[in-house]
Amino acid sequence: MKKTALLILLLASITSLVSAQSPFVTKYMSFNTAYLMPAKKWESGIRQPFRIGLSQKTELFSTVLALPLTPNAGIKFAWGEKGSFRFATAHSLSVPSPVMNILSREDIGGFISPEYTFPFILSVNNSVLASGPVCDSALLTFKADFLFAIRGGDIDPQSTIDLPVIYPRMAHYYKGSSVRLSANIKAPVMKKLGVEEGFQLFLITRNENNFFAENTGYLYWKMSKKMLLKAGYNLSYGVYPFGNHWQLWPSLDLLFGTSK
Amino acid sequence: MMIRVISPKNILRILAGLSILIFMSSCEPLATGFDDTEDATMYQASSLRQAPQPDSAILVMTWNIRFAIGRSPWFGDACGNNTVFTKEEVMPHLDSIVQAINMTKPDILMLQECDVASQRTAYINDLQYIIDNTYFNYAAYVPEWKAQYIPSDGLGRMDMGQVILSRWSIRDSKRINLVTRGDQSGLVNYFYLHSCIITGKIKIPGFEEFSVLNIHASAFATDDTKKKHYEEFKSMLDKIDAEGGYFLAGGDLNELPPGSDSTDYCFEDMCPGESFHQPGDDPQHKDGSNYTPEITWLQPLYDDYVCAVPLDRYQHNQQAYFTHTTRPGHFWDRTLDYLFTNYRWVENSDITHQYLLKYSDHAPVSAMFVLKKEN
């Protein structure tokens, strides 16, 4: 089963590069690209942020499901085109301390030891995105993120959640800033099917546990006019407090909204 | 000269193969399950020391080192609030353990609750540190509790297990999985520790090879899981005995010797806010503290094999052989740790190291194990 899924992903990645041009990518797969949501259109995923186009040059976004426990919001600006590339910047704020204090509990569900209390943490993320077409139908995006945190006090370095995917994204809450460099390519495969392959580096500005990399691959299946299924994998490598570690995890999301 | 072009089909096959290889090698489950029998992980000192040549006996010891947190109030067994300990908190305890080992100088040491890569103890490898700072040449390790992440009480990543340390090389070392606790839900059991026995064979020049078996039986099971553990342990000993071999067996059996005067420790182990033995209390007894219905479960071991501390000697002066207490700051109040053989101990050579009160919640037990001369 796993082998079949991987073969499909690989086939899809390669065939996508030679497919005919289609608006599938910019219409249904514009998250994590320099393309914005069109004005008055919105989309959301269960995990992927809610995005709404305010104008042709501005988009608001927030991970809605996390809002009660991790207040978060962001804004994305389109900066026009140069050559064949389109540029955008995104700027967001989040406050993860409430959810971290909730995860710090006794018994089952205690991801963090109850002996730790977290001070106010404000995480700031600024991103630059550039997207341009390749092989007619595919869209190549380069992205650079700079993340830092304003901390209301010291955080115990042993209160980390030492799991792939989670640890690199929380690293800058504890110590240092985080620079993320990524590239992804998205392409249509068939009328109702798209594919994405991505690579991301996490560089944390500190002396240890400071390097992580992820390779992601997703298939987008247009299930109906307003709904897409996004399924794939996340292959990660990193230098964790316990040593170097590889991990492969599945990834699943359901996307819906007016743009669908 | 012919240039062979790789076809797109072959490129796909190569990519698919590589991806599958990465997939298979990286797919570590959240919590590790165990086969019935698995190979142990072997350790060796960076520079081997000359092992002494014994005349007729060697000193052996068993010790549950409580993952080198001394008597600290850990949440899991001492009514504490702490789950995670820093390197600065662990290292003094680990140094004390090393000091005690170097002072006692057992030739073979069986450890239980040895952390090698756990978040709760700052990922310190207790075993590597002990090898690097003692005179042992070889060690075998098997995990008893291994998980990428335990989503309970902030335990996080866990790799704790049992060890055989030896001056002489250990061969054929295995992890023998013991029956799973029958009184837990599937989800809890998935992330919970899995009791086991570590086995190995040691050959000392001039003497017959003998088997070593180190067990850490369930501590908190409230059903008959512990009884099954003792039965599994004994059946392994019986097999070695039936085949004409001899063994050194021991560990933390988490059980009282038959004939113990006190068999219910609910009040001793009770944490603030808990209540037991009162009308309406549910449960009536604290998990792992009421040995009354289990008091004969070790009798078959005593019946067939020789304990380093003979049962009649224990029964006449029980306090002198107590090896455990859950209460930080209190003296030992029960016996849970044992050494058995189907051959002989040097008479009265056993020591229950009760003076090592601050090193762990278990006292080590040592004795002189008589070796069988080679014909």
Side-chain angles (χ1 to χ4, degrees), chain B residues 293-332:
Chain B
E294 311 167 356
I295 199 61
T296 59
W297 286 0
L298 293 187
Q299 191 62 53
L301 276 170
Y302 279 100
D303 288 345
D304 289 354
Y305 300 116
V306 190
C307 186
V309 180
L311 190 56
D312 57 341
R313 181 140 58 86
Y314 163 78
Q315 286 170 343
H316 281 101
N317 186 12
Q318 297 183 16
Q319 284 189 1
Y321 304 102
F322 285 164
T323 63
H324 175 68
T325 176
T326 58
R327 297 173 291 173
H330 285 71
F331 197 69
W332 314 110

Side-chain angles (χ1 to χ4, degrees), chain B residues 60-68 70-71 93-104 106 108-114 130 161-163 165 214-216 250-252 323 332 337-339 353 355-366:
Chain B
V60 300
M61 186 160 93
T62 177
W63 195 3
N64 179 325
I65 59 169
R66 200 185 182 221
F67 38 95
R71 304 302 305 276
H93 295 300
L94 196 50
D95 281 328
S96 298
I97 289 167
V98 163
Q99 194 184 18
I101 293 168
N102 284 330
M103 194 174 63
T104 316
I108 291 172
L109 175 61
M110 296 183 278
L111 299 178
Q112 303 88 40
E113 294 193 18
C114 181
I130 290 169
Q162 282 142 253
V163 175
L165 284 144
N214 173 10
I215 183 174
H216 187 207
D252 175 3
T323 63
W332 314 110
D337 303 87
Y338 300 84
L339 289 168
H353 299 260
Y355 56 93
L356 297 173
L357 190 60
K358 292 181 178 173
Y359 293 56
S360 167
D361 60 354
H362 286 255
V365 178
S366 68

